[in-house]
Amino acid sequence: MSEYFSLSDCDVIGFDLDHTLCRYHLKETSRLIYESVARYLVEHKGYDKDLLTLSPATWDFCFKGLVVDLEDGNLVKLAEDGTVLRATHGTHNLSTEEIMKHYGPKREWKHFNSLNTSYTRSGMDVREWTKYYFYDNYFDLPGVLLCARVVDMLHKRGHEVTSDFWKDMLAAIDHNYNTSAFREDAGTYFPSVKRNPGRYLQPCSESVKTWLRSMKNAGKVLLLITSSHSDYCRLVCEHVLGKDFEEMFDIIITNALKPGFFSLVPHQRPFRTLVNDVEDSEGLPCLEKPGWYSQGNWPHLHELLKSMTGKPEPKVVYFGDSMRSDMFPASSYAKWETVMIVEEAEGEGAAAARSAEAPAEPQEKKGKYEGMKTPSATSEQWGSYFVDVQRSPGGEEECPRLTWCCHSIHTYSTMAIPSVEAIADLPLDYKFPRFSPDNGFAFTRLVHWTQSA
């Protein structure tokens, strides 16, 4: 395999939508998601109204890549081998000694093998479904803070912390984000975005739109594959790409239900056609032509791509922001090249020069969010998304470690970038350094490239 990767060598170029082609105003969106779920818990499940009150400093707790241990209410940050680097009980930090008391002298998290081999949000084994939850993306992120505050609330009430509270969290998520919620104006999230999409969505730059058109004009097949339902996808795409967004893609797949789109083989879901955003009740036996579809699976898509490209094994690359839904399944099952969008590379300073060019936050947000940490930035409580140290008891010794999230990027991504904007102005034959097992800590190459590109 070549040491370098180039888009010009690909026959098919696919994209996730949310937090990939569409960047969100993270502060505003995080608050909305938190309030959507917390309000349901307070109004429908009798949780304390204090959950609705947040200070800007509280948001430092929000950190991508954490796992909540539902058996005891701990949140953990993992090293590449499953060692617990940092942990909290609720929102309260656990000392090194307390971590060792919970997880043994080697600080081993017992469900790591399940997580590391499946990348599911909860265990593959039915006995593990209520054991843990992996917070993988920015839609998940406010749940980290809310989950921890619920644990604090249960202690305040004198209740034992068990996984039972998770049923209420799932009910709140379903109330706000089920497939009919957008159409029915249910919950808090979708009605808010529909009223004022500009408050939450960042329009794509003209360079990105030109880039997409140039790839299609160069004969590439362009895909959009998102787990968002068609009605929400249309709202988002019209705002960030324009009314003519459908012309930019050969195939649009909504409600893809990733990672199952890739992993549920041979028991895959069929593709379905859409009429006025309603799925046809009858699934398609195969995919015969380009268009807009719902659900589906990669083997049927692969057959269509072979027909469209005239190649027995078309080379596909897929851009996405989620290890669970995008990188791991697309790489492991479909054997696609993958490019991970890692906004932390920008938020933690790897692309400081580019951050000044990012779209400004809406004027109405200034003041209201002053002092609130950007969710992609380094956390005082959790440290860096990429690296950390393993402290000995007493704190006398510190051993540098890669985080499990960083190791996963290096393992399942061809390359990583802070945003599609970061490469949109580069020629299609630009050669990017490819992550490989032999190139050491490959993320340093991303940092170097991002700063110099």
Side-chain angles (χ1 to χ4, degrees), residues 56-64 66 77 85-88 91 93-94 347-348 371-385 387-389 391:
T58 310
W59 288 95
D60 180 74
F61 192 87
C62 278
F63 188 81
K64 198 167 76 177
L66 300 180
K77 179 185 182 185
L85 296 173
R86 304 191 191 203
T88 66
T91 62
N93 288 331
L94 297 182
E348 294 194 15
M372 177 180 172
K373 180 185 81 71
T374 299
S376 61
T378 302
S379 163
E380 292 291 332
Q381 192 157 6
W382 293 106
S384 167
Y385 180 70
V387 295
D388 211 329
V389 295
R391 294 178 174 83

Side-chain angles (χ1 to χ4, degrees), residues 49 69 125 134 144 157 216 256 319 321 328 370 438 452:
K49 291 183 179 180
D69 195 327
D125 189 311
F134 170 38
V144 172
R157 290 183 173 185
K216 194 172 181 183
F319 288 71
D321 70 297
F328 174 77
E370 188 173 352
D438 302 321
S452 60

Side-chain angles (χ1 to χ4, degrees), residues 13 46 61 77 87 89 92 110 139 186-187 221 270 272 277 331 356 430:
I13 301 174
F61 192 87
K77 179 185 182 185
H89 184 69
H92 303 287
K110 64 182 178 180
F139 281 150
V221 175
R272 299 177 188 274
D277 293 319
S331 172
Y430 187 93

Side-chain angles (χ1 to χ4, degrees), residues 73 82 137 141 159 185 207 229 252 254 308 314 396 398 407 426:
N137 58 61
L141 200 58
H159 294 172
D185 275 340
S207 64
H229 199 262
I252 297 175
T254 50
M308 293 177 68
E396 293 88 2
E398 296 184 348
H407 173 74
L426 297 174

